[in-house]
Amino acid sequence: MIRLIWKRLLQLIPTVLIVLSVTFVITRIIPGNPASVLAGPEADPRLIAELEAKMGLDKSIPEQFLIYVSDIFKGDFGTSLNYNEPVFQLILSRIPKTLMITFTGLIVALILGTLLGTVSALRQNSWIDHFCTVFSLLGASLPVFWIGIMSIFLFSVKLGWLPTMGMGSIQNGLWDILSHMLLPCLCLSLAPMATFARTTRSSMLDTVNNDYIRALRARGLKERKVIWKHAFKNALPPIISVLGVQLGICFSGAILTENIFSWPGMGTMISTAINTRDYALIQGAILTLAVVNVAVSLIMDIIYMLINPKIKI
Amino acid sequence: MEEKLLEISGLRTYFFTKSGVAKAVDGVSFDMTQGETLGVVGESGCGKSVMSASIIRLLASKSGKIVDGTVTFNGTDVSKLSREELRKLRGSDVAMIFQDPMTTLDPVFKVSDQMIEMLQAHRNIDRKTAAKECIQALADVGIPDPHKRFDSYPFELSGGMCQRVAIAMAILARPKLIIADEPTTALDVTMQAQILKLLKDLQEKYGTSILIITHNLGVVWQICDNVMVMYAGKVVEKANVRELYSNPKHPYTWGLMDSMPSLNDTPKEPLSTIDGIPPDLRLVGKGCNFRARCRYAKQCCEDTEPEMVEVSDGHFVACHFQSKTTNLVKGEENRNDG
Ligand SMILES: Nc1ncnc2c1ncn2[C@@H]1O[C@H](COP(=O)(O)OP(=O)(O)O)[C@@H](O)[C@H]1O
Ligand code: SF4
Ligand SMILES: [Mg+2]
């Protein structure tokens, strides 16, 4: 276990370096730079050059990269031009909001998806099973932005039940936040829910035909226990693998979804940063996403080991 | 007359598959008394497992249905029990031991979890007391160092050890009947003997009845009081063990006995086997199911199904040419009219 954590932490170093250099190069390749954005579209080239010199953009790209990396090792991620705040603090204030909808969406997807999958495995060929099949297909194929726009159209514009954008404020009560969260989370959870339902269904179908399930029934256990304790735990490994993948997908899905619903998290911040060529912020944010992804897969590995008694910790 | 523990009459269990109806159990009747050991023999696929699972209505597949017959256990009709009553019957009054010990324990829970849980399913008992009883049961079935095994996962135990755990669980709730479906088939020879002896010892200790399924007649001679021979979903012969051993009547039983290895066989001599294979259970119809493989078959075996008749006290046979008056002799030509 400890060894695994160390191994993962070591793997983190090349990952970070690669992500850093790729984003660094890409941001420099996009036409336009912070100086030109700051100076405005019809600015005097001399002003732009002056700004560039001030920002260190007149140096060669490898030189800029070295300066950037050495700053990071000093704990300095630079300052956002657009927000005029340290990148590190901006990310710290935004990331909880992104994680909030990511995890809520994922948990909703996990609970409803496994529930749907289990029930449809137990009642093969019933209406709920057919519903599950259709739902898995749709959920996996409809794009998030389409579902997002359609749900805004239906629930906010047509029915007027839910707010269209923003996060609300806790000062207006918990419901204000929840009602703002509802659509983004729902929209975010649909695709993973479909995957969970499909995975659970097939894993459960494999499991309930095992001899030990019949043996448990022969021992007079309650059906509820046979299914939800024994069969479910045995059916769990593929669900956990999917969970790891889906957490990554959900996180990147959140970035997209935030832009649809103007949710003030990392996603909206990254869009703004890209539009304003806010180099330091783009790099910092992408780096954060990479680190989060590595952390997620580490957590998944640990969970995997915990539920499998054959792996000694 | 002795009190009947189990009475089965006219039991039929069919599997409704896409390719047809398989009559896995087709009109089986028998009784068991308290403390009796009944052996069920027959080649594989002839319905032994399905028959025994039908007693507690626990079929492996949803396509299987008990279509007819009654199972009376201890005076109550099992088919009339509610779900909850049936659940309570399973494991507490009737326990089951399966063929492959490595797959009958849930691989992801410890032995302790599974044993305690089973006890708690039938009795209102706290974990600590339950654990004590479970460890005692493990010791009773001859598991060395029961505390350690109790705290193990099934994959940490050998096959023989798993089967002992399964037996310990079976006796945990002091059942009146243990159904053992080929409990030793998956084990090596020494382990087989130990497990059989264990079952016999436990039976003596607790007075349990045992319904043991096997395709090994040696097991039957060793531990059973009575024996029942099944072929293609039907019982073809039923008798006291001594009677069947010395005076088998059904041509299928003769075949089974000939195909059993015995100590005085010379190793080079090939074992005689019954020619052919059991019929496809989806195709069995009228007539004697054994006719295609029976060297004594006559026209009547094609046309009508032989009925079960009592040839001598407690010895029943289903063959057209075996009754109190007619007597087919093994190896001799069948001179009766068909
Ligand atoms: N799950 C099933 N689906 C369809 N048919 C089955 C199933 N289980 C058993 N059968 C039928 O029942 C017959 C008897 O099976 P079984 O009782 O397991 O035989 P035995 O225990 O005597 O070897 C098989 O030959 C098969 O035709
Ligand atoms: S009834 Fe006919 S076919 Fe069947 S066992 Fe007797 S002789 Fe053979
Ligand atoms: Mg069998």
Side-chain angles (χ1 to χ4, degrees):
Chain A
M1 181 90 143
I2 305 288
R3 260 188 47 209
L4 179 102
I5 295 175
W6 272 116
K7 223 171 96 189
R8 280 313 178 86
L9 287 179
L10 283 179
Q11 280 171 3
L12 195 60
I13 295 172
T15 313
V16 165
L17 281 179
I18 291 169
V19 169
L20 264 182
S21 36
V22 171
T23 42
F24 195 87
V25 171
I26 289 181
T27 46
R28 309 294 131 144
I29 291 175
I30 328 177
N33 67 21
S36 61
V37 172
L38 204 65
E42 267 144 55
D44 182 350
R46 263 181 310 167
L47 176 63
I48 294 180
E50 205 175 298
L51 279 171
E52 276 179 354
K54 216 169 110 192
M55 293 172 187
L57 295 174
D58 54 341
K59 298 198 176 71
S60 74
I61 289 184
E63 225 175 319
Q64 290 180 34
F65 186 67
L66 281 180
I67 294 172
Y68 180 64
V69 173
S70 68
D71 279 350
I72 285 185
F73 277 104
K74 285 180 230 147
D76 176 10
F77 287 79
T79 306
S80 159
L81 282 176
N82 193 40
Y83 295 89
N84 214 351
E85 257 183 80
V87 166
F88 193 68
Q89 256 155 44
L90 271 173
I91 290 175
L92 272 191
S93 73
R94 290 293 189 118
I95 207 160
K97 292 170 190 158
T98 297
L99 292 180
M100 196 163 137
I101 57 169
T102 305
F103 279 103
T104 316
L106 191 70
I107 288 167
V108 168
L110 181 67
I111 293 174
L112 295 182
T114 48
L115 210 67
L116 181 61
T118 306
V119 173
S120 69
L122 297 180
R123 305 196 203 298
Q124 240 181 312
N125 297 322
S126 65
W127 67 266
I128 197 152
D129 189 24
H130 296 307
F131 170 77
C132 178
T133 312
V134 174
F135 175 76
S136 314
L137 213 71
L138 286 183
S141 51
L142 296 180
V144 174
F145 66 84
W146 186 82
I147 297 173
I149 292 169
M150 284 301 141
S151 58
I152 292 185
F153 181 70
L154 180 66
F155 293 106
S156 311
V157 180
K158 278 264 163 194
L159 297 171
W161 289 351
L162 294 167
T164 43
M165 55 201 302
M167 184 173 167
S169 154
I170 193 74
Q171 264 116 49
N172 301 336
L174 194 59
W175 172 244
D176 195 37
I177 303 259
L178 285 181
S179 65
H180 280 87
M181 268 174 82
L182 201 66
L183 281 185
C185 288
L186 202 71
C187 168
L188 199 57
S189 68
L190 236 42
M193 202 188 294
T195 313
F196 285 129
R198 197 157 16 92
T199 313
T200 309
R201 180 177 182 273
S202 74
S203 181
M204 263 299 194
L205 279 179
D206 286 346
T207 310
V208 292
N209 284 327
N210 272 313
D211 285 351
Y212 56 79
I213 295 297
R214 210 156 74 93
L216 288 164
R217 293 195 176 116
R219 275 176 229 144
L221 290 201
K222 290 211 165 76
E223 191 61 18
R224 201 163 11 103
K225 260 207 165 149
V226 172
I227 298 298
W228 293 107
K229 178 173 172 189
H230 292 272
F232 193 73
K233 187 165 178 190
N234 278 282
L236 215 47
I239 303 175
I240 302 281
S241 318
V242 169
L243 180 65
V245 178
Q246 290 300 321
L247 181 48
I249 293 180
C250 243
F251 193 64
S252 24
I255 307 288
L256 247 176
T257 313
E258 282 179 9
N259 284 300
I260 302 171
F261 294 95
S262 313
W263 181 265
M266 293 284 284
T268 39
M269 185 178 76
I270 290 177
S271 306
T272 321
I274 292 176
N275 288 336
T276 55
R277 306 290 184 274
D278 195 342
Y279 285 177
L281 189 54
I282 300 176
Q283 281 153 193
I286 303 279
L287 185 62
T288 313
L289 298 190
V291 172
V292 168
N293 268 311
V294 174
V296 161
S297 73
L298 176 64
I299 293 170
M300 282 302 129
D301 281 346
I302 293 173
I303 293 181
Y304 220 92
M305 288 196 300
L306 290 180
I307 63 162
N308 187 349
K310 285 186 198 176
I311 299 175
K312 281 266 170 347
I313 300 170
Chain B
M1 203 173 143
E2 276 175 290
E3 197 59 25
K4 293 273 182 270
L5 178 68
L6 179 69
E7 291 177 76
I8 292 182
S9 91
L11 183 67
R12 284 174 212 277
T13 305
Y14 294 175
F15 284 88
F16 297 86
T17 63
K18 286 207 180 79
S19 54
V21 179
K23 300 176 177 176
V25 179
D26 199 14
V28 167
S29 306
F30 65 92
D31 306 327
M32 280 183 79
T33 53
Q34 184 72 54
E36 172 182 347
T37 304
L38 173 66
V40 181
V41 289
E43 286 161 290
S44 69
C46 64
K48 305 180 300 291
S49 298
V50 174
M51 183 276 286
S52 61
S54 300
I55 296 174
I56 53 171
R57 308 182 79 80
L58 188 74
L59 299 176
S61 147
K62 283 199 178 122
S63 62
K65 297 242 154 46
I66 300 171
V67 292
D68 196 17
T70 52
V71 174
T72 312
F73 180 80
N74 219 7
T76 44
D77 182 346
V78 175
S79 68
K80 301 238 160 58
L81 295 179
S82 68
R83 272 171 74 110
E84 181 63 9
E85 286 167 330
L86 187 60
R87 177 186 78 71
K88 285 201 177 124
L89 177 84
R90 292 173 180 167
S92 68
D93 285 327
V94 183
M96 207 147 180
I97 299 169
F98 295 92
Q99 175 170 352
D100 188 352
M102 303 302 272
T103 63
T104 53
L105 294 172
D106 183 337
V108 301
F109 286 95
K110 285 185 175 176
V111 169
S112 52
D113 278 330
Q114 299 188 51
M115 289 187 86
I116 291 174
E117 174 184 63
M118 141 130 206
L119 211 47
Q120 285 182 332
H122 297 292
R123 271 199 280 155
N124 204 348
I125 185 171
D126 65 279
R127 276 188 81 86
K128 229 171 148 186
T129 330
K132 234 190 233 157
E133 281 188 35
C134 294
I135 292 171
Q136 183 57 46
L138 290 177
D140 285 349
V141 298
I143 290 181
D145 202 356
H147 279 95
K148 187 168 154 237
R149 308 290 184 227
F150 187 57
D151 198 37
S152 305
Y153 283 100
F155 64 85
E156 296 170 323
L157 307 176
S158 68
M161 207 54 91
C162 278
Q163 196 61 301
R164 279 175 196 268
V165 171
I167 293 173
M169 271 190 186
I171 59 165
L172 209 50
R174 302 281 176 270
K176 298 191 179 66
L177 171 66
I178 293 178
I179 300 173
D181 188 351
E182 312 214 14
T184 60
T185 308
L187 305 174
D188 66 59
V189 184
T190 31
M191 198 41 94
Q192 284 187 13
Q194 287 177 19
I195 295 287
L196 289 178
K197 180 167 182 310
L198 171 64
L199 279 174
K200 219 46 200 167
D201 289 348
L202 291 170
Q203 175 173 47
E204 247 159 59
K205 193 162 161 194
Y206 301 117
T208 323
S209 304
I210 298 179
L211 177 66
I212 184 166
I213 293 167
T214 170
H215 54 237
N216 182 351
L217 275 167
V219 171
V220 172
W221 309 145
Q222 211 178 325
I223 69 166
C224 295
D225 304 317
N226 296 307
V227 56
M228 200 161 88
V229 181
M230 272 186 83
Y231 186 74
K234 291 183 165 47
V235 177
V236 296
E237 186 163 11
K238 193 160 68 175
N240 174 279
V241 163
R242 279 169 208 285
E243 167 72 11
L244 192 93
Y245 185 77
S246 54
N247 197 13
K249 290 284 190 186
H250 198 279
Y252 178 62
T253 314
W254 294 341
L256 274 186
M257 287 171 77
D258 283 346
S259 62
M260 207 191 110
S262 75
L263 287 177
N264 27 19
D265 274 345
T266 45
K268 284 207 184 89
E269 207 175 314
L271 276 177
S272 60
T273 53
I274 313 172
D275 287 332
I277 51 162
D280 187 328
L281 293 180
R282 288 167 306 203
L283 304 175
V284 297
K286 58 175 191 166
C288 175
N289 287 334
F290 190 53
R291 63 181 184 273
R293 303 166 76 189
C294 180
R295 55 178 285 208
Y296 312 96
K298 288 273 168 87
Q299 185 58 40
C300 63
C301 306
E302 270 324 304
D303 301 334
T304 45
E305 190 187 323
E307 276 183 32
M308 193 69 126
V309 293
E310 191 164 14
V311 287
S312 60
D313 195 22
H315 189 165
F316 296 82
V317 187
C319 168
H320 285 306
F321 305 106
Q322 296 288 17
S323 68
K324 284 212 165 85
T325 50
T326 41
N327 190 8
L328 191 64
V329 181
K330 186 184 171 195
E332 283 181 13
E333 204 186 321
N334 184 359
R335 292 180 205 289
N336 299 288
D337 300 327

